Amino acid sequence: MAEWLDAQLNKYGVQTQKVALGKQEIEGQTLDLPPAILGRIGGDPKKKTILIYGHFDVQPADKNDGWEHEPFRMHHDKTSGKIFGRGSTDDKGPVLGWLNVLDAHHALKLDLPVNLRFCFEGMEESGSQGLNELITGETAKKEQGWFVGVDAMCISDNFWLNTRTPCLTYGLRGIAYYQLNISGPGSDLHSGSYGGAVYEPMTALISLMSKLVTPEGRILIPGVYDGIEAADAAELQKYKDLDYSVDDLESDAGGKIANSTEKTTVLMGRMRNPSLSLHDIEGGGGARTVIPASVTGRFSLRLVPPQTPTDINKKVVAYLESEFAKLNTRLNIKIECSPGGKPWVADTNHWNYEAAKRATEAVYLQTPNYTREGGSIPVTLTFADNLGVNIMLLPMGRADDGAHSTNEKLDASNFIQGSKLFGAYLYEIDQLTKA
Ligand code: BES
Ligand code: MN
Ligand code: MN
């Protein structure tokens, strides 16, 4: 993907460099990280310089998980207008949208209305390993840094709030991710021979995991909600103004499972409140009657300001250790925290947002929803902290695209209108910022 993208950018006149990002350890092997692709086109001092970010890595996919078509072969269903395939919406489709903008200008021999920089990576789904270091390293070079001269940034790596209204996104939740391992026996044990005579890892794990969050979604870790301010009237109004309903949520989720009948409550639940999700328990005995020797539970928290992964890690670890001690077993506990990401909220009062709003009105003939996203793109924070420029998220796909899931799709109309939107946004920037 990195090679392909690099060649495409070159074809459209973008000067690129493939930046090696060091090594990674995978299942005992040491491999090169995929390179970041940095590109630049245009250097007119009278024009604004916009940095575009996207990622060309995707989540795993397996036909046997319930895909109707081969996940790594694009399938365009002409009847429904949907383009199926892993990465269609997260995030290859949007990256291709930017290539479409370049392709059109190249084919029509048109000058771009702004100077463009590109930063594409292949490790986003693994916490942007390597890229964070590249960005901080360039910032440390001061005036010689690669990102110097960037006026604003656009990231297309999230989704509309519903399936009909385009949106501009000014916030992301952060993330803190955990693996909780409980062990004890030297190997799996027969539950007939040992059940009733030993402490069991699975029993302890289930007990701990049940103490993290209530079925209504209230997080039980002491101090997690510290410092989070209640929404004032102006903020509440922002959620009320959104084109959204509980029906949208339930139809995108494919089940009548909303935890409130109030639109603002569910919106705040995903946009501005923290959440804790239990993901997985690995190491069970399956249908066998064993006592598993070692079991690992995975869970994560989505974070909002002022929470940080560092602060939350301390609270999670302290709580789990004290709850584990209370169980008074003779088992072992191990807690691993992934790097995580801080939450992010931007100022929408900027020409970057105004340009995207005007472009949306021109292409979609609709006023956009202004959203905060429940998901996380941790590298956004690294860009925000290091470049100090306004950042906007400009999604291409819809709420029901199924990122990370089976049958991930992008509607062809979103791909085409989205590509137009990206181009129109650049023209609106030029219009708005011309002296
Ligand atoms: N594109 C997503 C971020 C996202 C998720 C936006 C949901 C809108 C809704 C990104 O590729 C992603 O999956 N991020 C991970 C981050 C993690 C791997 C550190 C996430 O949110 O789980
Ligand atoms: Mn993504
Ligand atoms: Mn993703």
Side-chain angles (χ1 to χ4, degrees):
M1 274 305 299
E3 296 294 335
W4 182 85
L5 201 51
D6 185 54
Q8 291 288 310
L9 290 166
N10 288 159
K11 189 168 103 187
Y12 301 131
V14 179
Q15 287 171 19
T16 59
Q17 64 200 92
K18 276 180 285 190
V19 185
L21 296 179
K23 305 276 182 194
Q24 61 176 327
E25 299 285 334
I26 289 187
E27 290 162 8
Q29 270 185 293
T30 305
L31 299 172
D32 283 336
L33 286 167
I37 306 294
L38 297 181
R40 59 167 85 208
I41 181 165
D44 184 341
K46 291 194 290 298
K47 292 178 182 173
K48 289 292 182 208
T49 298
I50 308 300
L51 174 64
I52 307 298
Y53 163 89
H55 66 91
F56 52 81
D57 59 320
V58 297
Q59 286 284 324
D62 191 326
K63 176 88 166 65
N64 297 328
D65 290 346
W67 286 77
E68 278 176 40
H69 306 278
E70 182 50 49
F72 288 105
R73 188 146 300 173
M74 192 184 96
H75 177 82
H76 182 188
D77 182 285
K78 301 261 165 43
T79 322
S80 65
K82 294 178 179 102
I83 302 168
F84 291 96
R86 176 55 87 226
S88 51
T89 195
D90 185 13
D91 186 38
K92 292 183 177 185
V95 169
L96 287 181
W98 292 110
L99 292 184
N100 287 344
V101 173
L102 294 169
D103 185 7
H105 285 80
H106 185 73
L108 301 170
K109 300 195 165 47
L110 288 172
D111 259 352
L112 285 157
V114 298
N115 308 314
L116 285 180
R117 305 271 185 95
F118 295 96
C119 176
F120 294 126
E121 68 158 322
M123 283 299 279
E124 193 277 341
E125 302 288 7
S126 309
S128 294
Q129 216 185 319
L131 183 62
N132 287 305
E133 295 75 9
L134 169 71
I135 299 164
T136 49
E138 289 303 317
T139 305
K141 293 183 193 165
K142 301 262 165 64
E143 281 311 301
Q144 312 309 318
W146 191 85
F147 297 100
V148 168
V150 168
D151 294 302
M153 180 169 184
C154 179
I155 298 177
S156 185
D157 187 24
N158 69 308
F159 319 102
W160 293 355
L161 186 57
N162 57 32
T163 54
R164 59 187 175 274
T165 322
C167 70
L168 314 184
T169 304
Y170 61 96
L172 287 165
R173 288 197 291 186
I175 184 166
Y177 190 99
Y178 303 92
Q179 300 206 60
L180 170 60
N181 176 271
I182 309 286
S183 63
S187 59
D188 288 358
L189 303 174
H190 194 296
S191 62
S193 310
Y194 294 92
V198 298
Y199 291 115
E200 303 193 16
M202 182 68 93
T203 312
L205 180 69
I206 299 274
S207 171
L208 288 181
M209 287 188 75
S210 76
K211 291 184 182 122
L212 292 169
V213 63
T214 67
E216 307 83 65
R218 192 163 44 83
I219 307 172
L220 298 172
I221 301 158
V224 265
Y225 292 101
D226 286 359
I228 301 171
E229 280 172 35
D232 60 16
E235 188 185 341
L236 285 174
Q237 192 59 43
K238 288 188 187 174
Y239 306 116
K240 290 205 183 100
D241 286 344
L242 294 174
D243 177 12
Y244 193 67
S245 70
V246 174
D247 283 345
D248 284 323
L249 173 75
E250 295 189 330
S251 106
D252 297 336
K256 298 233 161 264
I257 55 167
N259 60 13
S260 165
T261 52
E262 289 299 317
K263 162 186 158 181
T264 41
T265 308
V266 295
L267 281 174
M268 287 168 63
R270 85 172 234 185
M271 291 186 175
R272 65 100 59 211
N273 295 333
S275 62
L276 188 154
S277 300
L278 305 177
H279 303 303
D280 183 48
I281 292 182
E282 193 185 303
R288 297 177 301 137
T289 56
V290 300
I291 297 168
S294 166
V295 285
T296 301
R298 300 195 175 86
F299 64 94
S300 72
L301 285 94
R302 297 288 167 169
L303 311 179
V304 301
Q307 294 175 314
T308 62
T310 320
D311 177 47
I312 294 297
N313 283 351
K314 284 190 207 127
K315 289 171 175 159
V316 168
V317 171
Y319 177 63
L320 283 174
E321 281 176 350
S322 97
E323 290 301 314
F324 179 69
K326 284 187 209 160
L327 296 181
N328 205 14
T329 68
R330 296 170 64 203
L331 300 165
N332 315 308
I333 185 169
K334 199 170 85 195
I335 308 162
E336 278 177 58
C337 323
S338 295
K342 286 192 273 178
W344 165 81
V345 183
D347 181 9
T348 57
N349 208 342
H350 189 278
W351 51 258
N352 199 23
Y353 282 83
E354 182 59 24
K357 173 173 181 269
R358 291 186 188 186
T360 304
E361 286 165 349
V363 172
Y364 283 102
L365 310 175
Q366 274 174 282
T367 304
N369 265 334
Y370 285 76
T371 65
R372 280 171 68 170
E373 187 55 76
S376 313
I377 313 170
V379 78
T380 307
L381 258 292
T382 313
F383 280 116
D385 291 348
N386 283 273
L387 275 54
V389 299
N390 182 270
I391 304 179
M392 179 193 48
L393 267 52
L394 186 59
M396 174 180 263
R398 304 184 189 182
D400 65 349
D401 283 355
H404 295 203
S405 185
T406 49
N407 302 311
E408 177 181 350
K409 61 87 177 166
L410 176 66
D411 293 80
S413 64
N414 282 59
F415 181 57
I416 295 180
Q417 297 295 77
S419 299
K420 291 187 201 171
L421 174 66
F422 292 173
Y425 156 67
L426 304 180
Y427 283 88
E428 296 292 351
I429 290 175
D430 187 46
Q431 287 299 313
L432 270 166
T433 59
K434 257 198 204 119

